[in-house]
Amino acid sequence: MARTAARLSTEVIRAVLPCVRGEGVRFAWCEEIRSVLDGERAAMDARIEGLRHSRAALAGYLEQP
């Protein structure tokens, strides 16, 4: 699955692409695009929180004698 620097899936890119205009990254902000990107950000936040939890557990194991 192809991804951008923001690690967006091709499905998300496909949804966002019609709203990209001109050079660079400029969007014609429609509500559905904002909703898609908000969902992606929420999913990223959940993955980050999961990684933090896993890291804390691993650190706890490493601190044991």
Side-chain angles (χ1 to χ4, degrees):
M1 181 180 335
R3 295 185 179 272
T4 64
R7 309 278 305 165
L8 299 175
S9 68
T10 52
E11 291 81 22
V12 172
I13 293 167
R14 188 176 300 118
V16 172
L17 193 58
C19 294
V20 175
R21 304 284 185 253
E23 296 294 320
V25 180
R26 286 180 274 168
F27 296 100
W29 285 105
C30 51
E31 197 55 39
E32 66 188 40
I33 297 306
R34 205 172 277 279
S35 176
V36 167
L37 294 179
D38 279 341
E40 284 299 302
R41 181 174 53 184
M44 286 178 185
D45 288 343
R47 289 192 303 270
I48 290 167
E49 186 56 36
L51 286 170
R52 285 185 178 143
H53 178 77
S54 296
R55 186 187 186 289
L58 179 58
Y61 298 143
L62 291 171
E63 289 173 2
Q64 296 178 12

